[in-house]
Amino acid sequence: MIYRRIVKPLTDRILALLGLVALAPFLVLLWIAIAVRMGTPVLFRQTRIGLMDRPFEFVKFRTMTDARNGRGELLPDAERLTALGQFLRSTSLDEFPQLWNVVKGDMSLVGPRPLLPEYLPRYSAEQRRRHHAMPGITGWAQVNGRNGLPWEDKFRHDVWYVDNCTAGLDLRILMMTVLAVFRRRGISQQGQATALPFMGSPAGKDSSQEGGT
């Protein structure tokens, strides 16, 4: 399909590069604020899984400190998440560095969110089809509940997007993302500072139903 293979990647890179240039002064201010309030490094880097199971280095602004207990172990997320970090998460400002991932060709503006390598053996065959699309900064699951959704529902939305990706759907998702950011809903799972890790789906759980609404 011409849109998925040529038009979408080229458009993504152009828009991401323009976004980085336009937002540069604001990103510098965020960089300084994070360095002052949480220290360095300012960027959080982590290996994530992209298109066709390929790993890449994912970046975002850090939102938590490196506070540890007396045994040298990191404290729970809720204790390390700062007020500034919570603000960055709730407004999705922590995601802005991923525009560089888009410019590099590791990510798209729209697609399933890139997840951790250790999740690969936990997916069902149907859930793993989410990697048949380039991972995105935002996606169909993000505008339909974000981290407030159970993992199975997020994966169902991701697979639905893989099967239904068009220019019109991508534009719709981008517009819905703006609204979702202003509403600040689904930032984390109920009662959690961050999303719980995916440990695998219950046996027999079907994630292949349509994720559209």
Side-chain angles (χ1 to χ4, degrees), residues 10-43:
L10 180 60
T11 303
D12 279 340
R13 291 185 177 190
I14 292 173
L15 292 178
L17 184 58
L18 291 175
L20 283 174
V21 172
L23 293 169
F26 178 63
L27 295 178
V28 169
L29 291 177
L30 280 180
W31 187 289
I32 294 172
I34 294 168
V36 170
R37 298 293 295 274
M38 286 181 273
T40 57
V42 170
L43 293 179

Side-chain angles (χ1 to χ4, degrees), residues 67-75:
R68 298 173 183 269
N69 60 24
R71 297 185 298 274
E73 301 166 336
L74 286 172
L75 295 175

